[in-house]
Amino acid sequence: MSAYPKIVVTPPGPKARELVKKDESLISPSYVRFYPLVVESGKGCIVKDVDGNEYIDFNSGVACLNVGHNHPKVVAAIKSQCDRFLHYSNTDFYYREVVSLAEELSQITPGTFEKKVFFSNSGTEAVEAAVKLAKWHTRKQLFLGFIGAFHGRTIGSLSFTASKPTQRRYFFPLMPGVTHVPYPYCYRCPFKLTYPDCHYWCVDFIDEFVLQKYVPAEDVAAIVFEPIQGEGGYVVPPPEYFQRLKKLADKYNLLLVDDEVQAGMGRTGKWFAIEHWNVEPDILCIAKALASGLPLGATVAKAKLMDWVGGSHASTFGGNPVSCVAGNAVIEVVNEEKLLENATRQGGYIVKRFEEAKEKSEIIGDVRGKGLMIGVEMVEDKESKKPASEKASEIMRRSWRRGAVVVTCGASTLCITRELVDSALDIIIDCVKEVEKEA
Ligand SMILES: Cc1ncc(COP(=O)(O)O)c(C=O)c1O
């Protein structure tokens, strides 16, 4: 039996309620808050709230804490850097911390070709840099993106984001020139076809109905994609999808921009999710788990593409030395503790347990994922596949109150143990049963 979770007061407790009230009066209401979890501290796979409750963390700081909360190696690297210097704008001067992380990133990203790295502070900035670089290098203005995508919320990346109308409402005009095409969401195929009988019509459609009909291919700089859609519902493309997309890109000389902000840094059991499809992108975006929660974004490109000149793109804080040493420590920890292997092992077990639960449930429609990037799609019934978003939210809130924190798409820290997985899954699957029974 696991010692966790430990619920000492039904959440949200009094201290959490007080803080939330204050937050509501001071903080922008545009943030997305899942439930009133008010964090006091974290260690490994456990997060503690201000009222003393200790939860098994299946949120991983929203996919940022792949090596767990406050990994001692990461904390030691940060402390030691803090004693040396906190900032000295990599945009204008030099320091070894960025070079050292760039060296590591060019080793762990797919492709043995020479690479160069642009450092920023976040996922959206990593995508902005990729888009600007693609424009600069190709001198072309058009892009293809995907319906259901999430690439960030600044105007450039928002032009590619297409998973919820709220993200875009009232913000038009966005960056012109982005055409969205259907993502290979086999459980709900936009073409109402079935894999594998569809013969990847979703790729041929881009060729025959988009590039040959109304988006002039010679003006398209790149295809921007997530290897597994995150915010869009943890949608995993079928086995040959990206090989075929690459063939299409090669046919028309388009760059492939792979947004690994959520799926990267080991989350799927490989350093980068696109490796599951054995494709080497031209430009790759990283953030979230890169520096274990410290702000850091990286845009890694084939060296020959990074031909822009001084002043064409830069960032005062991008590549902050404290964040960079945290990034190097994260890579070391993932390697030393064999966390890629653990993600594959524990993820396989989680999928198996949800598959078993699905057999006995009418509201678990689909279980999918790679490594520890796992989504469980809730439906009103398996026949209609009508999305059951309210039920999913209720399961999420109940699981939290009982000590397993999870958002509607699950992703734990890569260092999660079988014991904690079992404890959390017992709670979550129990909550599914309860909600199903009450319907
Ligand atoms: C795939 C993907 N790209 C980009 C972003 C934006 O990252 P940030 O919130 O750091 O700007 C996210 C955030 O969830 C993401 O999941």
Side-chain angles (χ1 to χ4, degrees):
M1 268 288 282
S2 162
Y4 295 99
K6 287 183 196 161
I7 299 299
V8 294
V9 43
T10 306
K15 288 185 184 155
R17 288 201 301 271
E18 193 187 327
L19 192 284
V20 168
K21 204 165 156 215
K22 210 164 178 187
D23 181 293
E24 280 168 359
S25 69
L26 289 165
I27 303 296
S28 162
S30 63
Y31 295 117
V32 189
R33 260 67 181 271
F34 287 104
Y35 37 84
L37 167 64
V38 180
V39 175
E40 174 71 25
S41 62
K43 192 153 186 49
C45 308
I46 304 299
V47 62
K48 189 172 182 178
D49 76 10
V50 283
D51 293 289
N53 293 313
E54 292 178 77
Y55 309 84
I56 300 170
D57 192 356
F58 264 31
N59 290 342
S60 186
V62 192
C64 293
L65 303 170
N66 286 6
V67 299
H69 289 266
N70 291 8
H71 192 287
K73 247 200 169 140
V74 176
V75 173
I78 291 170
K79 282 184 175 163
S80 147
Q81 182 58 38
C82 286
D83 287 337
R84 295 178 55 237
F85 69 103
L86 296 178
H87 167 76
Y88 211 81
S89 197
N90 177 57
T91 275
D92 303 285
F93 299 98
Y94 299 88
Y95 42 86
R96 69 168 88 84
E97 289 73 12
V98 274
V99 177
S100 166
L101 182 57
E103 221 169 7
E104 288 298 320
L105 289 179
S106 47
Q107 290 297 318
I108 64 169
T109 45
T112 50
F113 38 79
E114 278 183 34
K115 295 165 194 157
K116 283 191 176 169
V117 185
F118 177 88
F119 283 107
S120 54
N121 309 284
S122 62
T124 196
E125 286 175 78
V127 173
E128 295 283 342
V131 169
K132 283 181 73 178
L133 178 62
K135 281 192 174 198
W136 171 278
H137 178 77
T138 63
R139 305 291 199 270
K140 295 177 186 175
Q141 299 177 352
L142 305 185
F143 288 86
L144 296 183
F146 285 91
I147 298 167
F150 189 87
H151 295 288
R153 297 174 189 276
T154 51
I155 293 294
S157 68
L158 183 61
S159 312
F160 291 87
T161 288
S163 66
K164 290 190 185 82
T166 349
Q167 295 152 347
R168 294 159 68 92
R169 188 174 289 127
Y170 310 135
F171 297 131
F172 292 91
L174 303 173
M175 184 186 93
V178 181
T179 299
H180 289 86
V181 297
Y183 197 74
Y185 187 174
C186 297
Y187 182 65
R188 296 181 185 281
C189 175
F191 301 103
K192 307 269 183 232
L193 296 173
T194 310
Y195 173 80
D197 297 339
C198 61
H199 300 295
Y200 290 88
W201 169 241
C202 47
V203 179
D204 295 339
F205 171 84
I206 303 173
D207 191 350
E208 292 175 32
F209 281 81
V210 179
L211 296 174
Q212 291 184 35
K213 298 269 187 221
Y214 69 104
V215 178
E218 68 279 13
D219 292 335
V220 177
I223 308 177
V224 178
F225 65 88
E226 289 162 274
I228 294 175
Q229 280 191 339
E231 166 86 9
Y234 280 34
V235 182
V236 186
E240 286 170 45
Y241 183 77
F242 286 110
Q243 286 286 346
R244 287 175 184 246
L245 193 72
K246 173 150 178 50
K247 234 185 219 167
L248 179 72
D250 288 347
K251 177 175 170 188
Y252 291 108
N253 198 22
L254 319 179
L255 298 177
L256 285 181
V257 175
D258 173 16
D259 178 349
E260 296 263 0
V261 166
Q262 185 161 166
M265 294 307 291
R267 172 135 306 275
T268 69
K270 295 200 184 275
W271 273 116
F272 295 95
I274 195 66
E275 294 172 62
H276 291 282
W277 287 268
N278 208 12
V279 162
E280 294 168 356
D282 300 290
I283 305 175
L284 186 143
C285 306
I286 318 172
K288 281 197 188 284
L290 176 54
S292 206
L294 265 56
L296 187 62
T299 307
V300 183
K302 285 182 172 160
K304 65 174 191 212
L305 297 182
M306 232 186 231
D307 54 359
W308 48 14
V309 296
S312 53
H313 198 48
S315 159
T316 298
F317 292 125
N320 170 275
V322 184
S323 300
C324 285
V325 297
N328 268 333
V330 164
I331 295 170
E332 230 179 281
V333 169
V334 171
N335 281 331
E336 278 175 12
E337 299 184 8
K338 301 200 177 341
L339 295 185
L340 300 182
E341 292 84 339
N342 193 52
T344 305
R345 198 167 43 245
Q346 305 301 349
Y349 176 70
I350 293 173
V351 166
K352 185 170 151 276
R353 283 214 45 196
F354 274 120
E355 285 288 1
E356 284 163 11
K358 182 177 132 186
E359 293 299 306
K360 297 182 204 129
S361 165
E362 193 45 39
I363 64 169
I364 297 181
D366 196 28
V367 179
R368 53 185 181 246
K370 292 207 181 278
L372 282 167
M373 186 166 183
I374 299 166
V376 178
E377 183 157 340
M378 309 307 296
V379 292
E380 291 297 341
D381 61 84
K382 286 179 182 169
E383 182 71 24
S384 73
K385 293 188 184 175
K386 194 166 168 248
S389 29
E390 192 31 56
K391 286 195 176 81
S393 299
E394 183 54 26
I395 292 161
M396 176 183 78
R397 285 189 295 266
R398 281 187 198 203
S399 301
W400 160 60
R401 279 189 221 109
R402 288 168 57 175
V405 291
V406 66
V407 290
T408 31
C409 295
S412 91
T413 49
L414 303 189
C415 49
I416 194 92
T417 60
R418 176 63 56 87
E419 201 180 18
L420 290 177
V421 164
D422 271 326
S423 282
L425 290 188
D426 288 348
I427 292 170
I428 297 166
I429 292 169
D430 229 40
C431 291
V432 172
K433 286 184 197 155
E434 271 178 28
V435 169
E436 182 168 3
K437 228 187 251 163
E438 287 165 21

